[in-house]
Amino acid sequence: MNDVIVAVDAMGGDHGARTVVAGAILALEGADISKIVLVGRESEIRQALDAANYDKSRIEVVHAEEVIGMNEAPTTALKSKKNSSIVVGLNLVKDGRAAAFVSAGSTGAVLAGGTTIVGRIKGIARPALGVVFPSTKGYTFLVDAGANVDAKPEYLLQFAQMGSVYMESLMGIKNPRVGLINVGAEREKGNMLTKEAYGLLETADLNFIGNVEGREIPLGAVDVAVCDAFVGNIILKYSEGFAKGIMSMLKEELMSSGISKLGALLSKRAYGRLRKRFDYTEVGGAPFVGLNGLVVKAHGSSNELAIKNAIKQCGKFIKADVVGKIKDKIDSNKSERTEDYGI
Amino acid sequence: MNDVIVAVDAMGGDHGARTVVAGAILALEGADISKIVLVGRESEIRQALDAANYDKSRIEVVHAEEVIGMNEAPTTALKSKKNSSIVVGLNLVKDGRAAAFVSAGSTGAVLAGGTTIVGRIKGIARPALGVVFPSTKGYTFLVDAGANVDAKPEYLLQFAQMGSVYMESLMGIKNPRVGLINVGAEREKGNMLTKEAYGLLETADLNFIGNVEGREIPLGAVDVAVCDAFVGNIILKYSEGFAKGIMSMLKEELMSSGISKLGALLSKRAYGRLRKRFDYTEVGGAPFVGLNGLVVKAHGSSNELAIKNAIKQCGKFIKADVVGKIKDKIDSNKSERTEDYGI
């Protein structure tokens, strides 16, 4: 088997190099990952490494002096900081020195850098952010969750194709059910974008089950839910706020009487398990689908566990050759279709 | 004081005339509503009325033989069923025989009928559906939640203006905080629609607090949240599914051990109170804002309590003269602005 080498942005995320390094060391457990390349300020990385026990042959450090901040304008930052951890890390993927790059840094910079440095898969109009999130029945892959706020029907078709490949690789789901997020179940429902996208999706080589309404998504109606990044971002962040809101209201109500307080104490473990089901750290990272290499965005507030899972997830994607499979899917699709993807 | 007369679609909703009639009778409690006009098949309505105790001088029945089904194409149904409860009821508002019309029937038919029969307020480009929904801090008025899936920036400005009037009238909030639902807090964030709408909103006579991200909405960051109906519908239905999903997951976890089961039993009332906070029946109805009269859509699955609250809510709107206030707002706005609303 080939070596599975993952480059990790040691400078990304809210908790600093120490957390990323600790997560990387945890990710060496098991055989998913052969080697991790930590990218960032060497002194900071070494300091974090020195405190830890790990197999020295499986961690490499590549120095990158600069850091792109969360609030910097992505394109400008990428141009002016050629020696930033994001640019250096993405170049490792481009040059084939790593099979994947994981960063908890600026989403915009990772996406823009991924597109310009690693490049798009030929035939893919727009890379997109895919996010795995929990439903009552398991997990749903939501794509696009953060890249293209103004999308075209052709983009949505490609998001569906790429989402299917990812969901199959990540969760082992054969022939994943694909749904188009829409305001009604009937095919004539929707806005201009979804009405046109419906036609493309139903004739494509996909397990397209039709439109899926907002209320069906948390209930696990589909494996892959397709939308533009405006809608995807709203769903993603709304879920965060809603879960937080409902838990705080529940707490308020539980604390409002002695008996329910006691009840809450007895049910404490059940609440813990519920929280865990909503915990982003369990899944780990969101892949930028459509790039000519694997680039995974970890949540900005990732702890060690989330970093570990984001890295380990790359092992699955690499073994399943998701990038290669997307290329195949897009190639075979292109030969069936004559439309221009606007590239 | 003038009489407050509300027309009610006795044939609308999933539970039939008996539920609507029972809700209407409940709405006569107190002094909000002077009189209710029940519109629909007289025999069915009379049958439901005969079983009840009520002040006969305050309920009138107007016969309408036809019923527009939930799945009929709105425009065709409105044309072919001139004697349907929706068409007859809307005509009562148009003719000044009722100050409001409440229906739990087809949203599309009530909207399309409201626009063609009752008509738009002069200067309003597009009527919209406004929905009040619970946040951790109270309530947020979401507009547009169901009418215009492809919106223009000018529409969003008017939704904000109308939403402010409604929220002030309904909740007594002076100078309601208006937010533009968007993918980021910064003004340059968003899609083409929201970027342009931002400029209109910040120069309008509104308490515009800027963009509001998905995660802030359930946490009560704004009183009025503005978006197109595609996004609004997704948020609304997603909330429904998410609340259902999280409650079912919680139940699953609570039932998975004896101790947490006991805890759940002790906390039963707290869960009941939490459910109540999410209960659409507590608010009642969603007004179609921008019509030249008051038209309120009740949830299709409304029970008696929801019908009652939807009707009583009309009393508030009528007393506050929301339609007149919107006219004033649009007039004063028009004199400041020269743009054409495309009408």
Side-chain angles (χ1 to χ4, degrees):
Chain A
M1 205 205 86
N2 289 328
D3 274 1
V4 175
I5 302 174
V6 177
V8 177
D9 176 5
M11 313 314 285
D14 307 342
H15 302 304
R18 190 168 290 271
T19 298
V20 178
V21 169
I25 291 170
L26 288 175
L28 291 176
E29 282 169 17
D32 294 336
I33 309 295
S34 322
K35 198 173 171 184
I36 289 170
V37 184
L38 294 167
V39 186
R41 292 194 184 119
E42 184 155 10
S43 59
E44 287 181 43
I45 297 171
R46 291 281 171 214
Q47 209 172 3
L49 283 172
D50 283 348
N53 256 328
Y54 64 97
D55 178 350
K56 291 190 169 48
S57 70
R58 291 173 67 200
I59 296 239
E60 192 186 322
V61 178
V62 168
H63 180 66
E65 185 56 38
E66 292 164 308
V67 176
I68 295 179
M70 295 302 254
N71 295 318
E72 288 188 67
T75 324
T76 324
L78 288 164
K79 275 187 195 147
S80 63
K81 295 184 171 175
K82 297 281 182 209
N83 199 27
S84 61
S85 55
I86 289 176
V87 172
V88 172
L90 288 167
N91 273 308
L92 292 175
V93 175
K94 183 194 169 196
D95 299 341
R97 290 178 56 199
F101 177 61
V102 174
S103 175
S106 155
T107 307
V110 177
L111 172 66
T115 309
T116 52
I117 297 167
V118 178
R120 286 174 299 182
I121 289 173
K122 210 180 157 203
I124 291 289
R126 293 283 189 283
L129 185 67
V131 169
V132 173
F133 74 94
S135 74
T136 52
K137 286 183 192 155
Y139 291 95
T140 302
F141 194 76
L142 181 75
V143 55
D144 181 1
N148 308 279
V149 288
D150 291 301
K152 293 182 181 173
E154 291 79 11
Y155 303 174
L156 296 196
L157 169 62
Q158 295 192 332
F159 299 166
Q161 293 169 324
M162 297 190 288
S164 292
V165 172
Y166 268 86
M167 205 53 183
E168 201 168 321
S169 308
L170 185 65
M171 300 285 166
I173 296 167
K174 291 277 158 219
N175 219 12
R177 294 161 305 159
V178 174
L180 176 64
I181 296 182
N182 209 336
V183 298
E186 305 82 0
R187 65 164 294 155
E188 66 277 8
K189 285 287 173 80
N191 56 13
M192 290 183 292
L193 174 67
T194 59
K195 280 179 189 167
E196 213 179 309
Y198 194 103
L200 297 179
L201 287 163
E202 69 176 345
T203 53
D205 177 25
L206 285 167
N207 182 13
F208 178 57
I209 64 157
N211 290 325
V212 54
E213 290 191 79
R215 79 165 71 80
E216 303 300 327
I217 305 167
L219 304 174
V222 290
D223 303 307
V224 178
V226 177
C227 59
D228 67 51
F230 193 92
V231 169
N233 177 288
I234 299 292
I235 288 179
L236 204 67
K237 292 193 184 154
Y238 189 79
S239 303
E240 250 183 79
F242 199 85
K244 204 172 152 187
I246 209 165
M247 292 309 268
S248 96
M249 287 197 221
L250 177 61
K251 199 173 168 187
E252 236 176 85
E253 297 300 347
L254 286 170
M255 293 302 127
S256 71
S257 93
I259 291 198
S260 55
K261 242 187 235 178
L262 177 63
L265 195 68
L266 294 173
S267 309
K268 211 176 161 186
R269 279 171 187 236
Y271 297 126
R273 288 192 298 269
L274 181 67
R275 276 220 172 78
K276 206 173 148 81
R277 284 171 76 164
F278 278 95
D279 193 352
Y280 68 91
T281 58
E282 294 297 316
V283 176
F288 277 113
V289 306
L291 294 179
N292 201 14
L294 194 57
V295 176
V296 169
K297 174 69 181 64
H299 200 293
S301 60
S302 288
N303 58 17
E304 299 172 11
L305 189 65
I307 297 287
K308 169 194 151 186
N309 285 332
I311 297 171
K312 283 183 92 81
Q313 196 192 46
C314 291
K316 282 193 189 184
F317 290 146
I318 293 163
K319 275 175 200 151
D321 186 25
V322 283
V323 174
K325 280 184 186 146
I326 289 174
K327 284 181 187 167
D328 291 347
K329 195 135 199 162
I330 296 303
D331 276 349
S332 68
N333 186 59
K334 281 202 89 149
S335 61
E336 284 166 25
R337 290 160 43 81
T338 52
E339 282 95 321
D340 171 23
Y341 284 104
I343 312 153
Chain B
M1 204 204 85
N2 289 329
D3 275 359
V4 175
I5 303 175
V6 177
V8 177
D9 178 3
M11 314 313 285
D14 306 342
H15 302 304
R18 191 168 291 272
T19 297
V20 178
V21 169
I25 290 170
L26 290 174
L28 292 176
E29 281 169 16
D32 294 336
I33 309 294
S34 322
K35 199 173 170 183
I36 288 169
V37 183
L38 294 167
V39 187
R41 293 193 184 120
E42 184 156 8
S43 59
E44 286 182 44
I45 297 171
R46 291 284 172 211
Q47 214 173 2
L49 283 171
D50 283 349
N53 258 328
Y54 64 98
D55 178 350
K56 290 188 172 49
S57 70
R58 291 173 67 199
I59 296 243
E60 192 186 321
V61 179
V62 167
H63 179 65
E65 186 56 36
E66 292 164 308
V67 176
I68 295 179
M70 295 301 255
N71 295 318
E72 289 188 66
T75 322
T76 324
L78 288 165
K79 275 187 194 149
S80 64
K81 294 184 171 175
K82 296 282 183 209
N83 199 26
S84 61
S85 55
I86 289 176
V87 173
V88 172
L90 288 168
N91 272 307
L92 292 175
V93 175
K94 183 195 168 196
D95 299 340
R97 290 177 57 199
F101 177 60
V102 174
S103 176
S106 154
T107 307
V110 177
L111 173 66
T115 308
T116 53
I117 297 167
V118 177
R120 286 174 299 182
I121 290 172
K122 211 180 155 202
I124 291 290
R126 292 283 188 284
L129 186 66
V131 169
V132 174
F133 73 96
S135 74
T136 50
K137 286 186 193 152
Y139 292 95
T140 302
F141 194 76
L142 180 75
V143 57
D144 182 0
N148 308 281
V149 290
D150 292 301
K152 293 181 180 173
E154 292 78 11
Y155 304 174
L156 296 196
L157 169 62
Q158 296 192 332
F159 299 166
Q161 293 169 322
M162 299 190 288
S164 293
V165 172
Y166 268 85
M167 205 55 184
E168 200 167 323
S169 308
L170 186 65
M171 300 284 165
I173 296 166
K174 292 277 159 219
N175 219 12
R177 293 161 304 160
V178 174
L180 176 64
I181 296 181
N182 210 336
V183 298
E186 305 82 1
R187 63 165 295 156
E188 66 277 8
K189 284 287 174 80
N191 57 14
M192 289 182 292
L193 175 66
T194 57
K195 279 178 189 167
E196 213 179 307
Y198 193 103
L200 297 179
L201 287 163
E202 68 176 345
T203 53
D205 177 25
L206 285 167
N207 183 12
F208 179 56
I209 63 157
N211 291 325
V212 53
E213 288 192 81
R215 79 165 69 82
E216 302 300 327
I217 304 167
L219 304 175
V222 290
D223 302 306
V224 178
V226 177
C227 58
D228 68 50
F230 193 92
V231 170
N233 178 287
I234 300 291
I235 288 179
L236 204 66
K237 292 192 183 155
Y238 188 79
S239 303
E240 251 183 79
F242 199 85
K244 204 172 151 185
I246 209 167
M247 290 311 268
S248 96
M249 286 195 220
L250 177 61
K251 200 173 168 184
E252 238 177 83
E253 297 300 347
L254 286 170
M255 292 302 126
S256 71
S257 94
I259 290 196
S260 54
K261 242 187 235 179
L262 177 64
L265 195 70
L266 295 174
S267 311
K268 211 176 160 184
R269 281 173 188 235
Y271 297 125
R273 288 191 299 270
L274 181 67
R275 277 220 171 79
K276 206 173 147 82
R277 284 170 77 165
F278 278 95
D279 192 352
Y280 67 91
T281 60
E282 296 296 317
V283 176
F288 277 114
V289 306
L291 294 179
N292 199 13
L294 194 57
V295 176
V296 168
K297 175 68 181 61
H299 201 291
S301 60
S302 288
N303 58 16
E304 299 171 12
L305 189 66
I307 298 287
K308 169 193 148 185
N309 285 332
I311 297 171
K312 283 183 93 80
Q313 196 191 48
C314 291
K316 281 193 190 181
F317 289 146
I318 293 163
K319 272 175 203 151
D321 187 25
V322 281
V323 175
K325 279 183 186 145
I326 289 173
K327 284 180 187 169
D328 291 347
K329 195 134 200 163
I330 297 302
D331 276 350
S332 67
N333 186 60
K334 280 202 89 142
S335 63
E336 284 166 27
R337 288 160 45 83
T338 53
E339 282 95 320
D340 171 24
Y341 283 106
I343 311 158

